[in-house]
Amino acid sequence: MLSVKHLIDTTSLTADDITQILDTARSFSEVNKRAIKKVPALRGRTIVNLFLEPSTRTKSSFELAEKRLSADSLSMGGATSSVVKGESLADTIETIDAMSVDMFICRAKLAGTPHKICEHTDAVVINAGDGKHQHPTQALLDLYTIRENFGHLDGLKVALVGDLSHSRVCGSLVPALKTMGAEVTLVGPPTFQIADPDYFGVPQTSDLDSVIADMDVVYMLRVQLERMEGAAIPSRREYNRLWGLDMSRVDRMRPEAIICHPGPMNRGMEINADVADCARSRILAQVNAGVLVRMAAMYLLLGGENNGVSA
């Protein structure tokens, strides 16, 4: 059983919580290889997907995970909810809550929205990404992917490279990696760096070439053009030259080192096309892990035990 009722951020998770989610996700990997990819673990439970911001990977991943656990689900977006008619988010949540649902999955542009939802429902809430704040299931699927590759997380050296200041992936992955004993280095242009260098308690540099040869994992962050206010970088070409991952940099990585990216990718900007598709890339493995980890998180938060496959 997890130590938290909701999954709002990774800073609230203990190492035991994270290990339990990753182990349960691994048990669900066997389900995803079957011809009939379904278990009755959440049969009779109702889950509401409230996506107030566009999403392809996360939304489809949650919906698939819900179907594979046999949950009843309802998907709502900004344009299909009464929020567009002027109804407050609190009223929307309390209205849906009155229908006796068990869980809300929330994606929102504004940081803190999932936490606000918790104040208006007794149902479990999972943060599917809120503004620049956190994206905890993304961090968990990243940990799952890395652990599957190396067999452990403690002691690994991980560089997060790119748009640090706009990234909720950075906000959730750094604390989770630290909790599991990994060593994190942040790399990015001065205009994309974390304003308070002590916020995460990890080193930060603008020189990718000075650290790349020491890393076990090079995690490229998407440049979030939609969240920028003004020109934070000189040009796509200049960004790629200084902080993008091309084959010349890949050739300097450790032989066993891997490459991750949360998607969607700006090919030719933070990562070159041939790098994204090379043997070191674990980008599609991350996508697959997303379904497993979300199955595990929903199952455990709704009271399941470790082995969901036999539920």
Side-chain angles (χ1 to χ4, degrees), residues 43-75:
R43 186 165 53 195
R45 297 300 194 119
T46 305
I47 299 173
V48 177
N49 301 303
L50 184 60
F51 278 68
L52 303 172
E53 187 183 51
S55 168
T56 300
R57 286 162 184 74
T58 304
K59 185 170 184 287
S60 57
S61 181
F62 267 111
E63 289 180 347
L64 272 178
E66 290 153 13
K67 293 179 191 300
R68 290 178 183 178
L69 292 171
S70 303
D72 298 317
S73 62
L74 171 68
S75 292

PDB file of all heavy atoms in Angstrom, residues 43-75:
ATOM      1  N   ARG A  43     -12.402  -3.637 -12.046  1.00  0.00           N
ATOM      2  CA  ARG A  43     -13.775  -3.786 -12.525  1.00  0.00           C
ATOM      3  C   ARG A  43     -14.745  -3.152 -11.524  1.00  0.00           C
ATOM      4  O   ARG A  43     -14.652  -3.382 -10.319  1.00  0.00           O
ATOM      5  CB  ARG A  43     -14.102  -5.273 -12.698  1.00  0.00           C
ATOM      6  CG  ARG A  43     -15.476  -5.500 -13.341  1.00  0.00           C
ATOM      7  CD  ARG A  43     -15.604  -6.923 -13.827  1.00  0.00           C
ATOM      8  NE  ARG A  43     -15.305  -7.875 -12.775  1.00  0.00           N
ATOM      9  CZ  ARG A  43     -15.061  -9.175 -12.989  1.00  0.00           C
ATOM     10  NH1 ARG A  43     -15.057  -9.648 -14.219  1.00  0.00           N
ATOM     11  NH2 ARG A  43     -14.809  -9.978 -11.976  1.00  0.00           N
ATOM     12  N   GLY A  44     -15.657  -2.342 -12.053  1.00  0.00           N
ATOM     13  CA  GLY A  44     -16.631  -1.664 -11.189  1.00  0.00           C
ATOM     14  C   GLY A  44     -16.162  -0.311 -10.680  1.00  0.00           C
ATOM     15  O   GLY A  44     -16.947   0.425 -10.070  1.00  0.00           O
ATOM     16  N   ARG A  45     -14.903   0.044 -10.919  1.00  0.00           N
ATOM     17  CA  ARG A  45     -14.394   1.363 -10.507  1.00  0.00           C
ATOM     18  C   ARG A  45     -14.597   2.360 -11.656  1.00  0.00           C
ATOM     19  O   ARG A  45     -14.493   2.000 -12.823  1.00  0.00           O
ATOM     20  CB  ARG A  45     -12.905   1.284 -10.158  1.00  0.00           C
ATOM     21  CG  ARG A  45     -12.595   0.376  -8.979  1.00  0.00           C
ATOM     22  CD  ARG A  45     -13.294   0.848  -7.708  1.00  0.00           C
ATOM     23  NE  ARG A  45     -12.744   0.193  -6.542  1.00  0.00           N
ATOM     24  CZ  ARG A  45     -12.155   0.835  -5.535  1.00  0.00           C
ATOM     25  NH1 ARG A  45     -12.088   2.151  -5.557  1.00  0.00           N
ATOM     26  NH2 ARG A  45     -11.675   0.159  -4.518  1.00  0.00           N
ATOM     27  N   THR A  46     -14.835   3.634 -11.300  1.00  0.00           N
ATOM     28  CA  THR A  46     -15.095   4.669 -12.301  1.00  0.00           C
ATOM     29  C   THR A  46     -13.993   5.733 -12.238  1.00  0.00           C
ATOM     30  O   THR A  46     -13.719   6.283 -11.166  1.00  0.00           O
ATOM     31  CB  THR A  46     -16.456   5.350 -12.062  1.00  0.00           C
ATOM     32  OG1 THR A  46     -17.462   4.332 -12.017  1.00  0.00           O
ATOM     33  CG2 THR A  46     -16.774   6.330 -13.179  1.00  0.00           C
ATOM     34  N   ILE A  47     -13.399   5.983 -13.385  1.00  0.00           N
ATOM     35  CA  ILE A  47     -12.284   6.943 -13.476  1.00  0.00           C
ATOM     36  C   ILE A  47     -12.641   8.039 -14.470  1.00  0.00           C
ATOM     37  O   ILE A  47     -13.100   7.750 -15.579  1.00  0.00           O
ATOM     38  CB  ILE A  47     -10.990   6.235 -13.909  1.00  0.00           C
ATOM     39  CG1 ILE A  47     -10.603   5.171 -12.874  1.00  0.00           C
ATOM     40  CG2 ILE A  47      -9.855   7.236 -14.108  1.00  0.00           C
ATOM     41  CD1 ILE A  47      -9.431   4.303 -13.277  1.00  0.00           C
ATOM     42  N   VAL A  48     -12.437   9.298 -14.064  1.00  0.00           N
ATOM     43  CA  VAL A  48     -12.726  10.452 -14.923  1.00  0.00           C
ATOM     44  C   VAL A  48     -11.413  11.057 -15.408  1.00  0.00           C
ATOM     45  O   VAL A  48     -10.549  11.417 -14.599  1.00  0.00           O
ATOM     46  CB  VAL A  48     -13.532  11.525 -14.156  1.00  0.00           C
ATOM     47  CG1 VAL A  48     -13.758  12.744 -15.037  1.00  0.00           C
ATOM     48  CG2 VAL A  48     -14.856  10.942 -13.687  1.00  0.00           C
ATOM     49  N   ASN A  49     -11.269  11.127 -16.734  1.00  0.00           N
ATOM     50  CA  ASN A  49     -10.091  11.767 -17.329  1.00  0.00           C
ATOM     51  C   ASN A  49     -10.435  13.213 -17.650  1.00  0.00           C
ATOM     52  O   ASN A  49     -11.174  13.482 -18.600  1.00  0.00           O
ATOM     53  CB  ASN A  49      -9.687  11.035 -18.607  1.00  0.00           C
ATOM     54  CG  ASN A  49      -9.366   9.586 -18.349  1.00  0.00           C
ATOM     55  OD1 ASN A  49      -8.496   9.263 -17.538  1.00  0.00           O
ATOM     56  ND2 ASN A  49     -10.071   8.678 -19.018  1.00  0.00           N
ATOM     57  N   LEU A  50      -9.916  14.126 -16.860  1.00  0.00           N
ATOM     58  CA  LEU A  50     -10.210  15.548 -17.040  1.00  0.00           C
ATOM     59  C   LEU A  50      -8.980  16.227 -17.621  1.00  0.00           C
ATOM     60  O   LEU A  50      -8.047  16.597 -16.898  1.00  0.00           O
ATOM     61  CB  LEU A  50     -10.584  16.167 -15.679  1.00  0.00           C
ATOM     62  CG  LEU A  50     -11.021  17.626 -15.692  1.00  0.00           C
ATOM     63  CD1 LEU A  50     -12.259  17.827 -16.558  1.00  0.00           C
ATOM     64  CD2 LEU A  50     -11.270  18.116 -14.269  1.00  0.00           C
ATOM     65  N   PHE A  51      -8.953  16.333 -18.941  1.00  0.00           N
ATOM     66  CA  PHE A  51      -7.791  16.906 -19.618  1.00  0.00           C
ATOM     67  C   PHE A  51      -8.128  18.313 -20.098  1.00  0.00           C
ATOM     68  O   PHE A  51      -8.823  18.502 -21.094  1.00  0.00           O
ATOM     69  CB  PHE A  51      -7.338  16.011 -20.775  1.00  0.00           C
ATOM     70  CG  PHE A  51      -6.473  14.873 -20.299  1.00  0.00           C
ATOM     71  CD1 PHE A  51      -7.000  13.850 -19.522  1.00  0.00           C
ATOM     72  CD2 PHE A  51      -5.119  14.841 -20.603  1.00  0.00           C
ATOM     73  CE1 PHE A  51      -6.202  12.820 -19.048  1.00  0.00           C
ATOM     74  CE2 PHE A  51      -4.314  13.817 -20.130  1.00  0.00           C
ATOM     75  CZ  PHE A  51      -4.855  12.795 -19.354  1.00  0.00           C
ATOM     76  N   LEU A  52      -7.637  19.313 -19.362  1.00  0.00           N
ATOM     77  CA  LEU A  52      -7.904  20.716 -19.651  1.00  0.00           C
ATOM     78  C   LEU A  52      -6.797  21.340 -20.494  1.00  0.00           C
ATOM     79  O   LEU A  52      -6.786  22.557 -20.700  1.00  0.00           O
ATOM     80  CB  LEU A  52      -8.053  21.489 -18.332  1.00  0.00           C
ATOM     81  CG  LEU A  52      -9.136  20.941 -17.394  1.00  0.00           C
ATOM     82  CD1 LEU A  52      -9.079  21.648 -16.041  1.00  0.00           C
ATOM     83  CD2 LEU A  52     -10.517  21.078 -18.013  1.00  0.00           C
ATOM     84  N   GLU A  53      -5.869  20.504 -20.963  1.00  0.00           N
ATOM     85  CA  GLU A  53      -4.770  20.936 -21.819  1.00  0.00           C
ATOM     86  C   GLU A  53      -4.553  19.829 -22.842  1.00  0.00           C
ATOM     87  O   GLU A  53      -4.709  18.655 -22.518  1.00  0.00           O
ATOM     88  CB  GLU A  53      -3.495  21.149 -20.973  1.00  0.00           C
ATOM     89  CG  GLU A  53      -2.346  21.748 -21.741  1.00  0.00           C
ATOM     90  CD  GLU A  53      -1.091  21.865 -20.870  1.00  0.00           C
ATOM     91  OE1 GLU A  53      -0.696  20.863 -20.242  1.00  0.00           O
ATOM     92  OE2 GLU A  53      -0.519  22.946 -20.837  1.00  0.00           O
ATOM     93  N   PRO A  54      -4.179  20.176 -24.094  1.00  0.00           N
ATOM     94  CA  PRO A  54      -3.995  19.142 -25.114  1.00  0.00           C
ATOM     95  C   PRO A  54      -2.971  18.084 -24.688  1.00  0.00           C
ATOM     96  O   PRO A  54      -1.974  18.392 -24.041  1.00  0.00           O
ATOM     97  CB  PRO A  54      -3.488  19.932 -26.323  1.00  0.00           C
ATOM     98  CG  PRO A  54      -3.993  21.318 -26.120  1.00  0.00           C
ATOM     99  CD  PRO A  54      -3.981  21.535 -24.635  1.00  0.00           C
ATOM    100  N   SER A  55      -3.245  16.848 -25.068  1.00  0.00           N
ATOM    101  CA  SER A  55      -2.335  15.749 -24.737  1.00  0.00           C
ATOM    102  C   SER A  55      -2.619  14.590 -25.683  1.00  0.00           C
ATOM    103  O   SER A  55      -3.772  14.268 -25.953  1.00  0.00           O
ATOM    104  CB  SER A  55      -2.553  15.296 -23.287  1.00  0.00           C
ATOM    105  OG  SER A  55      -1.883  14.072 -23.047  1.00  0.00           O
ATOM    106  N   THR A  56      -1.572  13.979 -26.183  1.00  0.00           N
ATOM    107  CA  THR A  56      -1.729  12.772 -27.007  1.00  0.00           C
ATOM    108  C   THR A  56      -1.232  11.560 -26.243  1.00  0.00           C
ATOM    109  O   THR A  56      -1.994  10.634 -25.944  1.00  0.00           O
ATOM    110  CB  THR A  56      -0.941  12.904 -28.323  1.00  0.00           C
ATOM    111  OG1 THR A  56      -1.423  14.033 -29.040  1.00  0.00           O
ATOM    112  CG2 THR A  56      -1.102  11.650 -29.183  1.00  0.00           C
ATOM    113  N   ARG A  57       0.050  11.559 -25.870  1.00  0.00           N
ATOM    114  CA  ARG A  57       0.651  10.385 -25.233  1.00  0.00           C
ATOM    115  C   ARG A  57       0.027  10.084 -23.878  1.00  0.00           C
ATOM    116  O   ARG A  57      -0.385   8.967 -23.585  1.00  0.00           O
ATOM    117  CB  ARG A  57       2.156  10.595 -25.049  1.00  0.00           C
ATOM    118  CG  ARG A  57       2.944  10.491 -26.303  1.00  0.00           C
ATOM    119  CD  ARG A  57       4.308  11.127 -26.140  1.00  0.00           C
ATOM    120  NE  ARG A  57       5.021  11.107 -27.401  1.00  0.00           N
ATOM    121  CZ  ARG A  57       4.727  11.909 -28.420  1.00  0.00           C
ATOM    122  NH1 ARG A  57       3.752  12.769 -28.328  1.00  0.00           N
ATOM    123  NH2 ARG A  57       5.404  11.831 -29.543  1.00  0.00           N
ATOM    124  N   THR A  58      -0.001  11.088 -23.022  1.00  0.00           N
ATOM    125  CA  THR A  58      -0.457  10.860 -21.651  1.00  0.00           C
ATOM    126  C   THR A  58      -1.926  10.450 -21.622  1.00  0.00           C
ATOM    127  O   THR A  58      -2.304   9.508 -20.930  1.00  0.00           O
ATOM    128  CB  THR A  58      -0.242  12.132 -20.809  1.00  0.00           C
ATOM    129  OG1 THR A  58       1.142  12.502 -20.873  1.00  0.00           O
ATOM    130  CG2 THR A  58      -0.635  11.895 -19.361  1.00  0.00           C
ATOM    131  N   LYS A  59      -2.759  11.137 -22.390  1.00  0.00           N
ATOM    132  CA  LYS A  59      -4.199  10.836 -22.380  1.00  0.00           C
ATOM    133  C   LYS A  59      -4.459   9.430 -22.920  1.00  0.00           C
ATOM    134  O   LYS A  59      -5.182   8.638 -22.302  1.00  0.00           O
ATOM    135  CB  LYS A  59      -4.951  11.880 -23.201  1.00  0.00           C
ATOM    136  CG  LYS A  59      -6.470  11.739 -23.156  1.00  0.00           C
ATOM    137  CD  LYS A  59      -7.119  12.961 -23.804  1.00  0.00           C
ATOM    138  CE  LYS A  59      -8.638  12.909 -23.684  1.00  0.00           C
ATOM    139  NZ  LYS A  59      -9.241  11.911 -24.575  1.00  0.00           N
ATOM    140  N   SER A  60      -3.865   9.108 -24.063  1.00  0.00           N
ATOM    141  CA  SER A  60      -4.104   7.775 -24.631  1.00  0.00           C
ATOM    142  C   SER A  60      -3.506   6.689 -23.749  1.00  0.00           C
ATOM    143  O   SER A  60      -4.061   5.591 -23.632  1.00  0.00           O
ATOM    144  CB  SER A  60      -3.536   7.692 -26.051  1.00  0.00           C
ATOM    145  OG  SER A  60      -2.157   7.992 -26.057  1.00  0.00           O
ATOM    146  N   SER A  61      -2.396   6.988 -23.105  1.00  0.00           N
ATOM    147  CA  SER A  61      -1.759   6.015 -22.212  1.00  0.00           C
ATOM    148  C   SER A  61      -2.648   5.725 -20.998  1.00  0.00           C
ATOM    149  O   SER A  61      -2.841   4.565 -20.613  1.00  0.00           O
ATOM    150  CB  SER A  61      -0.400   6.559 -21.755  1.00  0.00           C
ATOM    151  OG  SER A  61       0.255   5.649 -20.924  1.00  0.00           O
ATOM    152  N   PHE A  62      -3.211   6.778 -20.399  1.00  0.00           N
ATOM    153  CA  PHE A  62      -4.125   6.571 -19.268  1.00  0.00           C
ATOM    154  C   PHE A  62      -5.366   5.800 -19.710  1.00  0.00           C
ATOM    155  O   PHE A  62      -5.835   4.895 -19.022  1.00  0.00           O
ATOM    156  CB  PHE A  62      -4.533   7.922 -18.653  1.00  0.00           C
ATOM    157  CG  PHE A  62      -3.659   8.358 -17.513  1.00  0.00           C
ATOM    158  CD1 PHE A  62      -2.814   9.443 -17.637  1.00  0.00           C
ATOM    159  CD2 PHE A  62      -3.681   7.673 -16.298  1.00  0.00           C
ATOM    160  CE1 PHE A  62      -1.999   9.849 -16.578  1.00  0.00           C
ATOM    161  CE2 PHE A  62      -2.874   8.071 -15.235  1.00  0.00           C
ATOM    162  CZ  PHE A  62      -2.036   9.153 -15.385  1.00  0.00           C
ATOM    163  N   GLU A  63      -5.922   6.176 -20.872  1.00  0.00           N
ATOM    164  CA  GLU A  63      -7.143   5.509 -21.323  1.00  0.00           C
ATOM    165  C   GLU A  63      -6.894   4.027 -21.591  1.00  0.00           C
ATOM    166  O   GLU A  63      -7.730   3.172 -21.254  1.00  0.00           O
ATOM    167  CB  GLU A  63      -7.681   6.220 -22.570  1.00  0.00           C
ATOM    168  CG  GLU A  63      -8.259   7.600 -22.243  1.00  0.00           C
ATOM    169  CD  GLU A  63      -8.811   8.327 -23.465  1.00  0.00           C
ATOM    170  OE1 GLU A  63      -8.531   7.879 -24.602  1.00  0.00           O
ATOM    171  OE2 GLU A  63      -9.510   9.324 -23.290  1.00  0.00           O
ATOM    172  N   LEU A  64      -5.759   3.707 -22.195  1.00  0.00           N
ATOM    173  CA  LEU A  64      -5.425   2.297 -22.423  1.00  0.00           C
ATOM    174  C   LEU A  64      -5.241   1.557 -21.101  1.00  0.00           C
ATOM    175  O   LEU A  64      -5.705   0.420 -20.934  1.00  0.00           O
ATOM    176  CB  LEU A  64      -4.138   2.195 -23.254  1.00  0.00           C
ATOM    177  CG  LEU A  64      -4.290   2.206 -24.772  1.00  0.00           C
ATOM    178  CD1 LEU A  64      -2.921   2.158 -25.421  1.00  0.00           C
ATOM    179  CD2 LEU A  64      -5.132   1.029 -25.238  1.00  0.00           C
ATOM    180  N   ALA A  65      -4.553   2.215 -20.170  1.00  0.00           N
ATOM    181  CA  ALA A  65      -4.322   1.582 -18.860  1.00  0.00           C
ATOM    182  C   ALA A  65      -5.643   1.292 -18.156  1.00  0.00           C
ATOM    183  O   ALA A  65      -5.825   0.230 -17.548  1.00  0.00           O
ATOM    184  CB  ALA A  65      -3.448   2.497 -18.001  1.00  0.00           C
ATOM    185  N   GLU A  66      -6.581   2.232 -18.252  1.00  0.00           N
ATOM    186  CA  GLU A  66      -7.904   2.027 -17.618  1.00  0.00           C
ATOM    187  C   GLU A  66      -8.643   0.854 -18.258  1.00  0.00           C
ATOM    188  O   GLU A  66      -9.238   0.019 -17.558  1.00  0.00           O
ATOM    189  CB  GLU A  66      -8.726   3.314 -17.752  1.00  0.00           C
ATOM    190  CG  GLU A  66      -8.189   4.447 -16.898  1.00  0.00           C
ATOM    191  CD  GLU A  66      -8.525   5.832 -17.445  1.00  0.00           C
ATOM    192  OE1 GLU A  66      -9.389   5.920 -18.358  1.00  0.00           O
ATOM    193  OE2 GLU A  66      -7.930   6.819 -16.982  1.00  0.00           O
ATOM    194  N   LYS A  67      -8.606   0.768 -19.580  1.00  0.00           N
ATOM    195  CA  LYS A  67      -9.282  -0.339 -20.276  1.00  0.00           C
ATOM    196  C   LYS A  67      -8.644  -1.672 -19.899  1.00  0.00           C
ATOM    197  O   LYS A  67      -9.346  -2.681 -19.713  1.00  0.00           O
ATOM    198  CB  LYS A  67      -9.204  -0.118 -21.787  1.00  0.00           C
ATOM    199  CG  LYS A  67     -10.007   1.073 -22.291  1.00  0.00           C
ATOM    200  CD  LYS A  67      -9.863   1.248 -23.793  1.00  0.00           C
ATOM    201  CE  LYS A  67     -10.442   2.582 -24.254  1.00  0.00           C
ATOM    202  NZ  LYS A  67     -11.848   2.751 -23.958  1.00  0.00           N
ATOM    203  N   ARG A  68      -7.339  -1.711 -19.774  1.00  0.00           N
ATOM    204  CA  ARG A  68      -6.667  -2.983 -19.470  1.00  0.00           C
ATOM    205  C   ARG A  68      -6.883  -3.426 -18.024  1.00  0.00           C
ATOM    206  O   ARG A  68      -6.677  -4.575 -17.692  1.00  0.00           O
ATOM    207  CB  ARG A  68      -5.180  -2.873 -19.812  1.00  0.00           C
ATOM    208  CG  ARG A  68      -5.005  -2.794 -21.314  1.00  0.00           C
ATOM    209  CD  ARG A  68      -3.616  -2.645 -21.811  1.00  0.00           C
ATOM    210  NE  ARG A  68      -3.667  -2.509 -23.271  1.00  0.00           N
ATOM    211  CZ  ARG A  68      -2.630  -2.318 -24.045  1.00  0.00           C
ATOM    212  NH1 ARG A  68      -1.422  -2.261 -23.517  1.00  0.00           N
ATOM    213  NH2 ARG A  68      -2.781  -2.201 -25.346  1.00  0.00           N
ATOM    214  N   LEU A  69      -7.316  -2.481 -17.181  1.00  0.00           N
ATOM    215  CA  LEU A  69      -7.661  -2.842 -15.802  1.00  0.00           C
ATOM    216  C   LEU A  69      -9.167  -3.041 -15.636  1.00  0.00           C
ATOM    217  O   LEU A  69      -9.643  -3.251 -14.525  1.00  0.00           O
ATOM    218  CB  LEU A  69      -7.177  -1.737 -14.848  1.00  0.00           C
ATOM    219  CG  LEU A  69      -5.667  -1.581 -14.719  1.00  0.00           C
ATOM    220  CD1 LEU A  69      -5.330  -0.311 -13.927  1.00  0.00           C
ATOM    221  CD2 LEU A  69      -5.045  -2.794 -14.034  1.00  0.00           C
ATOM    222  N   SER A  70      -9.919  -2.943 -16.741  1.00  0.00           N
ATOM    223  CA  SER A  70     -11.379  -3.156 -16.745  1.00  0.00           C
ATOM    224  C   SER A  70     -12.145  -2.075 -15.992  1.00  0.00           C
ATOM    225  O   SER A  70     -13.279  -2.317 -15.528  1.00  0.00           O
ATOM    226  CB  SER A  70     -11.732  -4.532 -16.165  1.00  0.00           C
ATOM    227  OG  SER A  70     -11.093  -5.555 -16.877  1.00  0.00           O
ATOM    228  N   ALA A  71     -11.564  -0.890 -15.838  1.00  0.00           N
ATOM    229  CA  ALA A  71     -12.273   0.215 -15.175  1.00  0.00           C
ATOM    230  C   ALA A  71     -13.277   0.849 -16.139  1.00  0.00           C
ATOM    231  O   ALA A  71     -13.118   0.781 -17.359  1.00  0.00           O
ATOM    232  CB  ALA A  71     -11.277   1.266 -14.695  1.00  0.00           C
ATOM    233  N   ASP A  72     -14.316   1.460 -15.590  1.00  0.00           N
ATOM    234  CA  ASP A  72     -15.232   2.282 -16.389  1.00  0.00           C
ATOM    235  C   ASP A  72     -14.655   3.694 -16.411  1.00  0.00           C
ATOM    236  O   ASP A  72     -14.302   4.239 -15.356  1.00  0.00           O
ATOM    237  CB  ASP A  72     -16.624   2.306 -15.752  1.00  0.00           C
ATOM    238  CG  ASP A  72     -17.248   0.922 -15.693  1.00  0.00           C
ATOM    239  OD1 ASP A  72     -17.141   0.197 -16.701  1.00  0.00           O
ATOM    240  OD2 ASP A  72     -17.805   0.563 -14.642  1.00  0.00           O
ATOM    241  N   SER A  73     -14.558   4.275 -17.601  1.00  0.00           N
ATOM    242  CA  SER A  73     -13.910   5.587 -17.669  1.00  0.00           C
ATOM    243  C   SER A  73     -14.756   6.586 -18.449  1.00  0.00           C
ATOM    244  O   SER A  73     -15.565   6.220 -19.313  1.00  0.00           O
ATOM    245  CB  SER A  73     -12.521   5.472 -18.302  1.00  0.00           C
ATOM    246  OG  SER A  73     -12.604   4.991 -19.624  1.00  0.00           O
ATOM    247  N   LEU A  74     -14.538   7.853 -18.120  1.00  0.00           N
ATOM    248  CA  LEU A  74     -15.233   8.973 -18.757  1.00  0.00           C
ATOM    249  C   LEU A  74     -14.186  10.039 -19.057  1.00  0.00           C
ATOM    250  O   LEU A  74     -13.446  10.440 -18.169  1.00  0.00           O
ATOM    251  CB  LEU A  74     -16.287   9.534 -17.795  1.00  0.00           C
ATOM    252  CG  LEU A  74     -16.985  10.834 -18.188  1.00  0.00           C
ATOM    253  CD1 LEU A  74     -17.871  10.615 -19.408  1.00  0.00           C
ATOM    254  CD2 LEU A  74     -17.821  11.360 -17.023  1.00  0.00           C
ATOM    255  N   SER A  75     -14.096  10.460 -20.335  1.00  0.00           N
ATOM    256  CA  SER A  75     -13.092  11.450 -20.715  1.00  0.00           C
ATOM    257  C   SER A  75     -13.742  12.797 -20.991  1.00  0.00           C
ATOM    258  O   SER A  75     -14.716  12.887 -21.743  1.00  0.00           O
ATOM    259  CB  SER A  75     -12.323  10.971 -21.955  1.00  0.00           C
ATOM    260  OG  SER A  75     -11.520   9.852 -21.626  1.00  0.00           O
TER     261      SER A  75
END
